[in-house]
Amino acid sequence: MTPSATQTLNDSELVSALDSTHDVVIREDATPVHAADRPDAAWWRHAVIYQIYPRSWADADGDGIGDLPGITSRLPHLRALGVDAIWLSPFYTSPQADAGYDVADYRDIDPIFGSLADADTMIARAHELGLKVIVDMVPNHSSDEHEWFKAALAAGPGSAERERYMFREGRGEHGELPPNNWESVFGGAAWTRVTEADGTPGQWYLHIFDTKQPDFNWEHPEVRAEFESILRFWLDRGVDGFRVDVAHGLIKEQGLPDTEEERTTMLGHAEHEHAEGEHVPAEEAPRIDHTKRSPMWDQDGVHEIYRAWRKILESYGTPDRILCAEAWVEPQERAVAYVRPDEMHQAFNFDFLTASWIAEDLRAVITSSLHAADSVGAPSTWVLSNHDVVRHASRLGYAPGTPRMNGISATDPQPDRALGLRRARAATALMLALPGGAYIYQGEELGLPDSTDMPAEFRQDPTFARTAGAETGRDGCRVPIPWSADGPSLGFGPSASTWLPQPDVYADYAVDRQEGVAGSTLELYRSLLAARRELSLGTGSLTWVLGYAADVVALTNGSSQHGRVLVVANLGAEPVALPEGAEVIVASGPLEAGLVPTDTTVWARWS
Ligand code: NOJ
């Protein structure tokens, strides 16, 4: 340490101290990336929202599938965790062909989850505990067992009933070829041919997902009116908002032209693939031609739908009821169109979720996310895990830059569990320090890894069957939660039954193994959430901190009430020092002789 070096620096550079290992000046950048929000900003601009996957959170009746009474009984866990709201994946009446994202009745609860009365009880209990409730809305498609689709099949070609879905004649001499070349996101064709009432092969219907998920025709006024009525149904029951499934898919390009994409993904293009461990800097990655939008995604016509929905939500007054878009849209400039002031409130930040554990990439995505959201006056959001991706505790157990996998099977290279957890804790500590909203996926507060060796006979994700096992699918992140290390189904329910098998290692991650245990992942999440709230980090500013090596992500989150919180995430091989006078608030792992070791994030007061 050479204190004299600081004396030559200009006061405006906010010099605090020197990094003792490298003798470099640690200082804030001159210009913040993002200015602080108003301290009294609306709740959703800084909320931490916990995703409950109802099938797998808590099972009250012992049938092996989670349910609403189970959720209600476990809500105090979330109060103690310190989140602001819950988002529940679908619990509506459904044949469960896509785990409830195939809805047969949007105004009722599937018997496996309970009843409408159970939903009312759950909403009321959550509100008593100070938790807002967001439910999933699935407007792109229904189940093929929805009354409208059954009526469409029965009514035949040319009927008004078929107009509510996307029926078309086939190509080829006898209509034997699908109407275009679109593929399902889950694999296989996006069209299925029906057998008409007279037993002959007939029209085709579009399903961007499974055969059992026919797409609605959103050009039809009855479809729009129906969904507006469904929104009111749930708003009247007291929900605080909706997470909107496949929000970028409702309108298709006029004429349904063939797509030029070889494979359909939610983004409309296959992700860039590169060899394991190879890092391709963002500027060298193959360019995506964003002018060539896929005909099934992100059509301009979707926006008027959400403008109409926003008006409905606003008619319910304050506190605000919200819409959050699941929109896999690139580039960010187009993605933030969904959160313009008269549309949705939030959109998931999948760029953050898909960023590699590489400091340069994280800095780039944080900066661009904040700039893009600021350009429309929306808060950014942050997310690392959900029910569609490998949990971050497993994802980060591979070499940075490893291509993202759709599930992990026993024959795949296995992630390093300890390394993954260490990085996952550091990643979460970075995420929860960022201004805006954040999403937590059930079980990540326990540091849960994916199930990575589930035998094929248990797999239920339609992707697995539709690709003949080529894609492992999403079951690995959907396994029932371990609440207690002993007892049947690790406390998930009263019986030993679980709809997906729990790996043996899950006992080690059980809530009762971690509660009150210093250093456990659960206690880390509680500390982070408590400090985030106390220091108003969700409404703070963000300024990059200069002076560390390139593999350290360092920033300050500042506010007029609380001053500056320094956040240092060390992704490099060497431990790094905190500036002199920095007082540690919380750390994702133990410091080593006062230094921040590899794959560790620290929050510190820095005045
Ligand atoms: C996105 C949901 O998150 C996913 O689970 C589902 O399979 C598809 N949309 C289709 O609804």
Side-chain angles (χ1 to χ4, degrees):
M1 179 106 129
T2 48
S4 59
T6 59
Q7 289 158 13
T8 61
L9 287 157
N10 186 327
D11 281 347
S12 67
E13 289 177 306
L14 296 171
V15 177
S16 181
L18 298 177
D19 173 321
S20 63
T21 53
H22 298 104
D23 277 2
V24 289
V25 178
I26 304 303
R27 63 187 167 86
E28 277 183 314
D29 200 359
T31 321
V33 172
H34 166 80
D37 211 340
R38 295 159 50 121
D40 62 347
W43 68 272
W44 50 270
R45 295 186 67 90
H46 51 87
V48 178
I49 301 177
Y50 182 98
Q51 181 189 357
I52 293 180
Y53 194 66
R55 298 177 69 88
S56 298
W57 204 52
D59 174 21
D61 64 10
D63 66 354
I65 304 177
D67 46 41
L68 294 177
I71 292 172
T72 304
S73 72
R74 292 287 191 187
L75 286 175
H77 171 75
L78 299 182
R79 167 75 187 216
L81 185 61
V83 298
D84 302 290
I86 54 175
W87 147 39
L88 296 110
S89 284
F91 45 45
Y92 312 108
T93 313
S94 162
Q96 304 289 317
D98 183 21
Y101 283 94
D102 49 319
V103 181
D105 183 350
Y106 291 85
R107 295 185 183 81
D108 206 351
I109 305 294
D110 196 280
I112 61 173
F113 297 127
S115 62
L116 275 176
D118 293 329
D120 291 342
T121 305
M122 185 269 298
I123 295 167
R125 179 72 180 128
H127 286 163
E128 264 169 37
L129 291 169
L131 299 165
K132 300 206 182 291
V133 179
I134 292 166
V135 297
D136 220 305
M137 193 43 58
V138 190
N140 180 68
H141 46 266
S142 68
S143 162
D144 65 341
E145 296 181 32
H146 189 285
E147 287 307 321
W148 277 12
F149 193 75
K150 291 197 272 188
L153 287 186
S159 63
E161 286 84 350
R162 288 216 172 166
E163 283 302 306
R164 295 164 175 157
Y165 290 91
M166 306 288 285
F167 281 89
R168 295 289 185 277
E169 299 299 330
R171 294 197 279 204
E173 204 180 330
H174 306 288
E176 70 280 13
L177 299 172
N180 68 22
N181 71 349
W182 295 5
E183 285 192 357
S184 153
V185 172
F186 292 160
W191 295 92
T192 291
R193 194 172 195 189
V194 303
T195 303
E196 302 297 358
D198 63 4
T200 58
Q203 289 191 304
W204 298 73
Y205 68 88
L206 176 69
H207 51 87
I208 290 187
F209 295 91
D210 191 64
T211 317
K212 287 183 67 61
Q213 292 168 295
D215 281 48
F216 281 114
N217 171 16
W218 270 90
E219 309 287 353
H220 197 307
E222 277 177 31
V223 172
R224 293 186 186 220
E226 174 66 355
F227 272 90
E228 292 182 6
S229 154
I230 293 166
L231 294 183
R232 289 183 195 280
F233 177 88
W234 288 101
L235 291 166
D236 290 343
R237 295 197 102 86
V239 304
D240 300 285
F242 304 92
R243 174 265 187 192
V244 182
D245 190 61
V246 202
H248 60 315
L250 276 50
I251 299 288
K252 280 76 181 173
E253 190 174 327
Q254 283 295 320
L256 310 184
D258 279 349
T259 174
E260 292 172 21
E261 302 298 337
E262 279 167 27
R263 224 188 91 217
T264 302
T265 70
M266 292 282 272
L267 274 170
H269 60 77
E271 290 182 53
H272 318 305
E273 303 219 337
H274 42 267
E276 183 169 338
E278 179 199 353
H279 174 223
V280 180
E283 61 279 10
E284 286 169 30
R287 286 270 147 245
I288 300 163
D289 182 354
H290 290 298
T291 57
K292 286 204 188 136
R293 261 202 322 287
S294 159
M296 53 195 111
W297 304 129
D298 192 32
Q299 302 296 308
D300 291 337
V302 292
H303 295 288
E304 70 181 32
I305 298 170
Y306 305 128
R307 282 196 276 268
W309 289 15
R310 175 80 176 232
K311 287 201 181 99
I312 293 173
L313 268 71
E314 286 187 347
S315 74
Y316 283 77
T318 51
D320 296 345
R321 319 270 184 125
I322 70 159
L323 296 167
C324 176
E326 187 221 13
W328 294 80
V329 171
E330 288 183 340
Q332 280 171 324
E333 292 70 38
R334 278 200 73 86
V336 294
Y338 289 76
V339 289
R340 288 176 290 193
D342 59 348
E343 296 195 34
M344 303 223 191
H345 300 73
Q346 298 185 333
F348 292 117
N349 184 346
F350 294 122
D351 289 327
F352 184 69
L353 185 150
T354 53
S356 302
W357 188 239
I358 293 170
E360 184 192 342
D361 293 7
L362 291 169
R363 270 193 299 272
V365 74
I366 292 169
T367 298
S368 63
S369 303
L370 289 167
H371 282 164
D374 284 345
S375 73
V376 294
S380 189
T381 64
W382 312 100
V383 60
L384 288 164
S385 284
N386 65 32
H387 66 292
D388 288 332
V389 299
V390 171
R391 287 175 173 281
H392 64 290
S394 296
R395 214 166 63 225
L396 298 176
Y398 292 100
T402 301
R404 206 153 62 82
M405 303 160 87
N406 183 3
I408 302 168
S409 75
T411 54
D412 288 323
Q414 296 293 297
D416 178 331
R417 211 146 43 84
L419 177 67
L421 179 57
R422 182 184 178 95
R423 288 183 179 156
R425 292 166 54 117
T428 299
L430 174 62
M431 173 177 91
L432 291 176
L434 301 175
Y439 279 81
I440 291 178
Y441 177 50
Q442 66 177 39
E444 67 167 85
E445 78 279 21
L446 307 175
L448 274 191
D450 258 40
S451 165
T452 59
D453 58 358
M454 191 183 292
E457 68 263 29
F458 291 105
R459 295 205 175 272
Q460 300 200 18
D461 183 347
T463 310
F464 183 71
R466 289 182 69 92
T467 62
E471 298 268 341
T472 303
R474 303 161 292 176
D475 297 302
C477 65
R478 299 176 173 180
V479 172
I481 296 297
W483 293 91
S484 50
D486 307 309
S489 63
L490 302 177
F492 171 61
S495 78
S497 155
T498 56
W499 71 283
L500 290 173
Q502 296 167 305
D504 292 341
V505 293
Y506 268 30
D508 299 341
Y509 296 83
V511 175
D512 71 350
R513 281 277 172 94
Q514 301 199 37
E515 204 143 37
V517 177
S520 70
T521 304
L522 177 58
E523 292 302 333
L524 170 66
Y525 269 69
R526 287 178 174 175
S527 305
L528 291 168
L529 289 164
R532 176 185 159 92
R533 184 184 297 267
E534 194 188 311
L535 299 166
S536 307
L537 300 185
T539 50
S541 62
L542 188 140
T543 307
W544 290 120
V545 168
L546 310 177
Y548 282 110
D551 47 18
V552 175
V553 179
L555 58 93
T556 57
N557 179 317
S559 65
S560 50
Q561 319 97 285
H562 303 290
R564 290 183 300 175
V565 174
L566 171 69
V567 179
V568 176
N570 182 10
L571 283 71
E574 297 299 323
V576 298
L578 294 170
E580 195 172 291
E583 281 170 49
V584 175
I585 302 166
V586 55
S588 71
L591 300 199
E592 286 168 9
L595 303 180
V596 183
T598 304
D599 293 331
T600 302
T601 299
V602 172
W603 297 3
R605 264 176 242 283
W606 193 28
S607 45

